[in-house]
């Protein structure tokens, strides 16, 4: 069974802390998305990766294809970063994305 | 970057009515769009794959007569929830696949509440 696992499930951090959220998957993928979902539900696509590393502002996403693992890092975290972060992967054998269960991040001032 | 919009962003309806949700790719053509559903505190689950000009492919357990999908043009797919019931209350999200770059873009989602 193809699986997407995220860790941790819940994360509480103090403002300013460096945060890492992990995503592991079981078989080969052609693409991986990191998504952000705020309490109101709206989805924002942060990154799409197929290899290497991407950076946007305080956010960094990395992927290791051999280890089947991706990480999302937030530097200098801020309360407005509080949201659910979701990893979504597209298996090599298909076009649709499958989603991890999400990591709920709370950043305390 | 490419943008996918959904309309409406939220809707409240009475039980038994039908609700249509639109998904549009704003600056690219999408031959394939996907519809997902998210129940509270759960992950997103694929409902169906919508192909322009042909019938949608539904995932197991999704009633095609209840969730009507139409992909009439390369920039628009619609999901109609027919005879909605409270258990259909959920967050519905679409994504669109840009053929040229083989990139998928996600819409912001539509929150449906059935009273």
């Amino acid at each position: 069974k193809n699986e997407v696992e995220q860790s941790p499930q819940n994360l509480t951090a103090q403002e300013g802390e460096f945060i890492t959220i992990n995503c592991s998957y079981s078989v080969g993928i052609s693409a991986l998305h990191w998504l952000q979902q705020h309490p109101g539900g709206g989805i924002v696509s942060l990154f799409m990766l197929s290899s290497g590393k991407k950076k946007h502002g305080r956010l960094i996403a990395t992927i290791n294809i051999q280890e089947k693992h991706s990480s999302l890092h937030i530097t200098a975290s801020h309360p407005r970063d509080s949201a659910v972060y979701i990893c979504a992967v597209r298996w090599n054998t298909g076009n649709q994305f499958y989603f991890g269960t999400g990591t709920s991040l709370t950043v305390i001032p | 970057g490419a943008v996918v919009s959904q309309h409406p962003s939220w809707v409240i309806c009475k039980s038994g009515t039908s609700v249509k949700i639109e998904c549009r790719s704003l600056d690219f053509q999408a031959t394939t769009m996907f519809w997902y559903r998210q129940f509270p505190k759960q992950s997103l689950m694929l409902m169906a794959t919508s192909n322009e000009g042909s019938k949608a492919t539904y995932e197991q357990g999704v009633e095609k007569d209840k969730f009507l999908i139409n992909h009439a043009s390369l920039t628009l797919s619609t999901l109609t929830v027919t005879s909605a019931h409270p258990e259909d209350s959920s967050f519905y999200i679409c994504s669109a696949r840009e053929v040229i770059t083989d990139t998928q873009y996600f819409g912001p989602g539509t929150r449906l509440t059935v009273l």
Side-chain angles (χ1 to χ4, degrees), chain A residues 21-39:
Chain A
I21 299 170
N22 298 298
C23 176
S24 297
Y25 47 92
S26 56
V27 296
I29 64 169
S30 57
L32 181 146
H33 266 276
W34 279 104
L35 309 170
Q36 181 191 55
Q37 185 172 32
H38 279 283

Side-chain angles (χ1 to χ4, degrees), chain A residues 33 35 37 39-43 45 48 86 88 90 95-101, chain B residues 34 36 38 43-46 49 59 91 93 97 102-108 111:
Chain A
H33 266 276
L35 309 170
Q37 185 172 32
I43 295 267
S45 181
M48 199 204 75
I86 301 168
R90 185 175 69 190
N95 284 319
Q96 61 265 42
F97 277 80
Y98 293 90
F99 299 82
T101 51
Chain B
F34 303 90
Y36 303 89
Q38 183 184 39
S43 186
L44 287 82
M45 296 295 292
L46 179 68
T49 302
E59 294 298 298
F91 192 62
I93 299 145
R97 177 169 166 255
D102 194 27
T103 301
Q104 265 192 46
Y105 299 93
F106 288 87
R111 183 162 300 285

